[in-house]
Amino acid sequence: MQKTPAECTTMADVRTEIDRLDRALMMLFAERWGYINRAAEIKRPLKLKADIPARVAEVRENAGRNAIELGLEPDFYERLWAQLIDHSIAQERKLLGEDEA
């Protein structure tokens, strides 16, 4: 049974909930990855590049804004998202054959 942080009375409770959340985050990342792959499929016939700087800036700004709205430290999450974006662009480049050029 899922517990809120306040309902956790032992470290085992806390660890169980962190593990549950980590799994949920991984599931969301896997879902996001599906969209990255689909983006490459859509970009190919449109002759779009993997790296679209305006979109990269928008996603990074969204990460910082979302962090602030949720009471999280924006610099950390902007850096985390920068890694996520870089990894996503690398995957799109691979799928689009940009690495071969």
Side-chain angles (χ1 to χ4, degrees), residues 1-22:
M1 183 170 148
Q2 184 176 323
K3 295 181 178 184
T4 65
E7 293 170 332
C8 292
T9 58
T10 67
M11 284 306 299
D13 289 345
V14 170
R15 290 175 181 143
T16 295
E17 295 307 317
I18 288 173
D19 290 347
R20 177 186 60 76
L21 288 170
D22 286 349

Short mmCIF file of all heavy atoms in Angstrom, two decimals, residues 1-22:
data_model
loop_
_atom_site.label_atom_id
_atom_site.label_comp_id
_atom_site.label_asym_id
_atom_site.label_seq_id
_atom_site.Cartn_x
_atom_site.Cartn_y
_atom_site.Cartn_z
N MET A 1 0.84 -1.19 0.00
CA MET A 1 0.00 0.00 0.00
C MET A 1 0.88 1.25 0.00
O MET A 1 1.80 1.38 0.79
CB MET A 1 -0.91 -0.01 1.23
CG MET A 1 -1.86 1.12 1.29
SD MET A 1 -3.05 0.82 2.61
CE MET A 1 -3.35 2.48 3.10
N GLN A 2 0.60 2.15 -0.88
CA GLN A 2 1.36 3.38 -1.03
C GLN A 2 1.20 4.26 0.20
O GLN A 2 0.12 4.38 0.75
CB GLN A 2 0.88 4.11 -2.27
CG GLN A 2 1.64 5.36 -2.59
CD GLN A 2 1.17 5.98 -3.89
OE1 GLN A 2 0.85 5.28 -4.83
NE2 GLN A 2 1.12 7.29 -3.92
N LYS A 3 2.31 4.88 0.63
CA LYS A 3 2.28 5.78 1.78
C LYS A 3 2.79 7.15 1.38
O LYS A 3 3.67 7.27 0.53
CB LYS A 3 3.17 5.23 2.90
CG LYS A 3 2.71 3.93 3.50
CD LYS A 3 3.63 3.48 4.61
CE LYS A 3 3.12 2.20 5.23
NZ LYS A 3 3.94 1.80 6.38
N THR A 4 2.26 8.17 2.02
CA THR A 4 2.80 9.52 1.86
C THR A 4 4.08 9.60 2.69
O THR A 4 4.30 8.76 3.58
CB THR A 4 1.81 10.58 2.36
OG1 THR A 4 1.66 10.42 3.78
CG2 THR A 4 0.46 10.47 1.67
N PRO A 5 4.92 10.61 2.46
CA PRO A 5 6.11 10.74 3.32
C PRO A 5 5.75 10.79 4.81
O PRO A 5 6.43 10.15 5.62
CB PRO A 5 6.74 12.06 2.84
CG PRO A 5 6.34 12.15 1.40
CD PRO A 5 4.93 11.59 1.36
N ALA A 6 4.71 11.51 5.16
CA ALA A 6 4.33 11.61 6.58
C ALA A 6 3.87 10.28 7.15
O ALA A 6 3.98 10.07 8.36
CB ALA A 6 3.23 12.66 6.73
N GLU A 7 3.36 9.40 6.32
CA GLU A 7 2.89 8.09 6.78
C GLU A 7 4.02 7.08 6.97
O GLU A 7 3.81 6.03 7.57
CB GLU A 7 1.85 7.52 5.81
CG GLU A 7 0.55 8.30 5.77
CD GLU A 7 -0.37 7.87 4.65
OE1 GLU A 7 0.13 7.39 3.60
OE2 GLU A 7 -1.59 8.03 4.82
N CYS A 8 5.20 7.38 6.47
CA CYS A 8 6.34 6.48 6.62
C CYS A 8 6.87 6.59 8.05
O CYS A 8 7.18 7.67 8.52
CB CYS A 8 7.43 6.83 5.62
SG CYS A 8 6.99 6.50 3.90
N THR A 9 6.96 5.46 8.71
CA THR A 9 7.43 5.46 10.10
C THR A 9 8.78 4.77 10.26
O THR A 9 9.37 4.83 11.33
CB THR A 9 6.40 4.78 11.01
OG1 THR A 9 6.17 3.45 10.54
CG2 THR A 9 5.09 5.56 11.04
N THR A 10 9.24 4.12 9.21
CA THR A 10 10.53 3.43 9.26
C THR A 10 11.32 3.74 7.99
O THR A 10 10.75 4.17 6.98
CB THR A 10 10.35 1.90 9.35
OG1 THR A 10 9.77 1.43 8.11
CG2 THR A 10 9.46 1.50 10.52
N MET A 11 12.61 3.48 8.05
CA MET A 11 13.43 3.64 6.85
C MET A 11 13.00 2.64 5.78
O MET A 11 13.07 2.94 4.58
CB MET A 11 14.92 3.48 7.18
CG MET A 11 15.53 4.69 7.86
SD MET A 11 15.27 6.25 6.95
CE MET A 11 16.10 5.90 5.40
N ALA A 12 12.54 1.48 6.18
CA ALA A 12 12.06 0.50 5.20
C ALA A 12 10.87 1.08 4.43
O ALA A 12 10.77 0.90 3.21
CB ALA A 12 11.69 -0.81 5.88
N ASP A 13 9.97 1.77 5.14
CA ASP A 13 8.84 2.42 4.47
C ASP A 13 9.33 3.46 3.46
O ASP A 13 8.86 3.50 2.32
CB ASP A 13 7.94 3.15 5.49
CG ASP A 13 7.14 2.23 6.39
OD1 ASP A 13 7.03 1.02 6.09
OD2 ASP A 13 6.62 2.74 7.40
N VAL A 14 10.27 4.29 3.89
CA VAL A 14 10.80 5.34 3.01
C VAL A 14 11.46 4.71 1.79
O VAL A 14 11.22 5.13 0.65
CB VAL A 14 11.81 6.23 3.78
CG1 VAL A 14 12.56 7.16 2.83
CG2 VAL A 14 11.09 7.04 4.86
N ARG A 15 12.26 3.69 2.01
CA ARG A 15 12.96 3.04 0.89
C ARG A 15 11.99 2.38 -0.08
O ARG A 15 12.19 2.45 -1.29
CB ARG A 15 13.97 2.03 1.44
CG ARG A 15 15.13 2.70 2.12
CD ARG A 15 16.07 1.71 2.75
NE ARG A 15 17.16 2.44 3.41
CZ ARG A 15 17.70 2.07 4.55
NH1 ARG A 15 17.27 0.97 5.17
NH2 ARG A 15 18.68 2.78 5.07
N THR A 16 10.95 1.79 0.44
CA THR A 16 9.93 1.17 -0.42
C THR A 16 9.30 2.22 -1.32
O THR A 16 9.10 2.00 -2.52
CB THR A 16 8.86 0.47 0.43
OG1 THR A 16 9.48 -0.62 1.13
CG2 THR A 16 7.71 -0.05 -0.41
N GLU A 17 8.97 3.37 -0.75
CA GLU A 17 8.32 4.43 -1.53
C GLU A 17 9.29 5.05 -2.54
O GLU A 17 8.90 5.36 -3.67
CB GLU A 17 7.72 5.49 -0.62
CG GLU A 17 6.58 4.97 0.24
CD GLU A 17 5.48 4.26 -0.54
OE1 GLU A 17 5.08 4.76 -1.61
OE2 GLU A 17 5.03 3.19 -0.09
N ILE A 18 10.55 5.22 -2.16
CA ILE A 18 11.53 5.73 -3.11
C ILE A 18 11.71 4.76 -4.26
O ILE A 18 11.75 5.16 -5.43
CB ILE A 18 12.87 6.04 -2.41
CG1 ILE A 18 12.71 7.29 -1.53
CG2 ILE A 18 14.01 6.21 -3.42
CD1 ILE A 18 13.90 7.60 -0.65
N ASP A 19 11.79 3.47 -3.96
CA ASP A 19 11.92 2.46 -5.02
C ASP A 19 10.71 2.47 -5.94
O ASP A 19 10.84 2.35 -7.16
CB ASP A 19 12.10 1.07 -4.42
CG ASP A 19 13.46 0.89 -3.74
OD1 ASP A 19 14.36 1.74 -3.94
OD2 ASP A 19 13.61 -0.11 -3.00
N ARG A 20 9.52 2.66 -5.38
CA ARG A 20 8.29 2.73 -6.17
C ARG A 20 8.34 3.93 -7.11
O ARG A 20 8.04 3.82 -8.30
CB ARG A 20 7.06 2.82 -5.25
CG ARG A 20 5.73 2.98 -6.00
CD ARG A 20 4.56 3.21 -5.04
NE ARG A 20 4.71 4.41 -4.23
CZ ARG A 20 4.52 5.67 -4.67
NH1 ARG A 20 4.18 5.89 -5.92
NH2 ARG A 20 4.66 6.70 -3.85
N LEU A 21 8.75 5.07 -6.57
CA LEU A 21 8.85 6.28 -7.38
C LEU A 21 9.93 6.16 -8.45
O LEU A 21 9.73 6.62 -9.59
CB LEU A 21 9.11 7.49 -6.49
CG LEU A 21 7.91 7.93 -5.66
CD1 LEU A 21 8.33 8.97 -4.64
CD2 LEU A 21 6.80 8.45 -6.54
N ASP A 22 11.06 5.55 -8.10
CA ASP A 22 12.12 5.37 -9.09
C ASP A 22 11.62 4.52 -10.27
O ASP A 22 11.90 4.83 -11.42
CB ASP A 22 13.35 4.72 -8.47
CG ASP A 22 14.14 5.68 -7.58
OD1 ASP A 22 13.86 6.90 -7.60
OD2 ASP A 22 15.03 5.20 -6.86
#
